[in-house]
Amino acid sequence: MADVASPEPVKVCVKSAAGAPDVLGDCPFCQRVLLTLEEKNVPYELKLIDLSEKPRWFLEINPDGKVPVIDFGDGKWVPDSDVITVIIEEKYPNPSLVTPAEYATVGSKILSSFFKFLKSKDPSDGSEQALLDELHALEDHLKDHGPFVNGEKISAVDLSLAPKLFHLEVALAHFKGWSVPENLTCVQNYTKVLFSKDSFIKTSPAKEFVIAGWEPKVNA
């Protein structure tokens, strides 16, 4: 149940798919916010934003033009997925998705390591090994504390990591024919569980839009 103080659905602006303005797009930070709302059963109204042709009303409420942004019902639009997810936790404390401070940075370098490897044209530049190091660190943590980062219950850090790991899996398979090593069994199980959750399936972009989103960056 949503908090009684906010009977109206919250409004959330997220990226639409490239070339398909009526379809949910490939922004992992937008999906993180949607996952958080879904896991807390907070009703929301989705507004899809074509970032290649931002509507005037959107730029009026959000001059920076970035997504996600959310309106909790007071007419104020709040940007930044880090900020938004903290506010969601404060406004809708049940079920709790709080990650203990000591685990909050688990996996935090995976996205940047993935991006460097994805863009790399030099097999000897160390970018693949840097990504493997981050994935091995996640493997070691999950081995000791899993199945989720904070044990048996999903928490905020998992909802931040899930979209990034999905992008990693889809983009590296497509552009490099690369996949997470099979011997990282805890990471393999972790992604399988996350990607099969109803909240993830409902908020996940189609693989072709993930690929289309990364294509210009890979070929830059």
Side-chain angles (χ1 to χ4, degrees):
M1 286 290 290
D3 192 300
V4 290
S6 181
E8 292 293 311
V10 300
K11 298 184 182 78
V12 56
C13 295
V14 300
K15 181 185 179 184
S16 67
D22 297 327
V23 178
L24 183 64
D26 61 305
C27 170
F29 307 104
C30 293
Q31 190 184 5
R32 174 192 183 188
V33 169
L34 297 181
L35 281 170
T36 306
L37 293 169
E38 287 285 341
E39 287 292 325
K40 286 183 172 287
N41 298 307
V42 177
Y44 60 91
E45 179 186 329
L46 203 57
K47 294 181 178 292
L48 297 174
I49 306 299
D50 181 350
L51 296 185
S52 66
E53 202 171 322
K54 296 168 188 171
R56 181 179 293 176
W57 68 263
F58 175 66
L59 291 171
E60 284 172 359
I61 61 158
N62 180 32
D64 285 345
K66 293 179 181 177
V67 288
V69 288
I70 195 166
D71 173 5
F72 287 101
D74 56 6
K76 294 175 184 170
W77 289 89
V78 180
D80 190 322
S81 63
D82 285 337
V83 176
I84 292 168
T85 50
V86 168
I87 296 172
I88 294 172
E89 187 63 48
E90 289 170 354
K91 284 183 173 286
Y92 310 97
N94 296 308
S96 172
L97 292 173
V98 173
T99 302
E102 63 268 27
Y103 297 160
T105 60
V106 170
S108 62
K109 293 179 183 172
I110 286 175
L111 183 65
S112 58
S113 301
F114 147 62
F115 186 45
K116 280 179 189 164
F117 177 45
L118 182 66
K119 285 190 71 172
S120 169
K121 305 282 194 290
D122 178 3
S124 63
D125 66 2
S127 59
E128 180 179 11
Q129 189 57 50
L131 175 58
L132 285 168
D133 289 347
E134 294 302 325
L135 291 171
H136 275 283
L138 177 59
E139 175 76 12
D140 290 344
H141 178 90
L142 293 172
K143 204 173 282 179
D144 293 338
H145 304 285
F148 297 109
V149 169
N150 188 35
E152 293 297 325
K153 287 189 174 177
I154 200 164
S155 71
V157 69
D158 303 302
L159 303 184
S160 177
L161 274 173
K164 297 167 186 173
L165 290 166
F166 183 67
H167 277 246
L168 180 156
E169 182 177 286
V170 173
L172 289 178
H174 178 80
F175 292 107
K176 286 188 177 283
W178 191 94
S179 58
V180 174
E182 287 184 11
N183 65 339
L184 298 181
T185 52
C186 294
V187 174
Q188 294 279 2
N189 183 59
Y190 180 62
T191 56
K192 191 180 292 182
V193 170
L194 288 173
F195 299 168
S196 64
K197 287 186 71 66
D198 289 343
S199 59
F200 191 89
I201 293 165
K202 185 175 176 182
T203 61
S204 179
K207 289 183 178 181
E208 62 262 33
F209 295 125
V210 173
I211 292 164
W214 284 107
E215 198 137 28
K217 299 178 180 75
V218 173
N219 297 321

